[in-house]
């Protein structure tokens, strides 16, 4: 994970991921993971392990997209 990618995830996308995971409340391990990443991400020298980076990317792709858009497609 590049420094730029990590910075973008932690500043722009991770808060959204955290809100969605915490609101769901069903997976205690996942809640602990997102809290841990947020805590460690505050240290300038921290870099995620390859496994952490993989999980972070997956969560960002799954959870940062709108879950229930409030609009209806007019043309299909």
């Amino acid at each position: 994970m590049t420094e730029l990618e990590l910075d973008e995830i932690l500043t722009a996308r991770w808060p959204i991921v955290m809100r969605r995971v915490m609101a769901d409340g069903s997976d205690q391990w996942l809640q602990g993971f997102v809290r841990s990443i947020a805590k460690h991400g505050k240290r300038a020298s921290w870099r995620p392990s390859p496994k952490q980076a993989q999980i972070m990317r997956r969560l960002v792709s799954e959870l940062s997209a709108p879950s229930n858009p409030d609009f209806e497609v007019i043309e299909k």
Side-chain angles (χ1 to χ4, degrees):
M1 180 176 288
T2 66
E3 187 141 345
L4 182 62
E5 182 183 12
L6 179 61
D7 188 44
E8 179 186 342
I9 286 174
L10 290 176
T11 57
R13 300 181 187 271
W14 206 249
I16 297 167
V17 170
M18 282 196 67
R19 279 188 221 109
R20 297 244 172 114
V21 168
M22 296 313 216
D24 182 30
S26 62
D27 190 341
Q28 295 295 319
W29 181 88
L30 192 54
Q31 287 182 345
F33 178 80
V34 296
R35 272 193 239 118
S36 173
I37 296 299
K39 178 181 173 185
H40 291 299
K42 293 177 182 178
R43 292 183 301 162
S45 63
W46 178 79
R47 297 290 170 262
S49 70
K51 186 166 184 159
Q52 287 173 324
Q54 177 188 15
I55 295 169
M56 288 170 69
R57 284 186 184 112
R58 182 177 53 86
L59 289 172
V60 165
S61 69
E62 290 176 0
L63 299 176
S64 59
S67 59
N68 291 328
D70 293 339
F71 60 88
E72 188 175 316
V73 177
I74 296 172
E75 295 180 25
K76 292 185 181 183

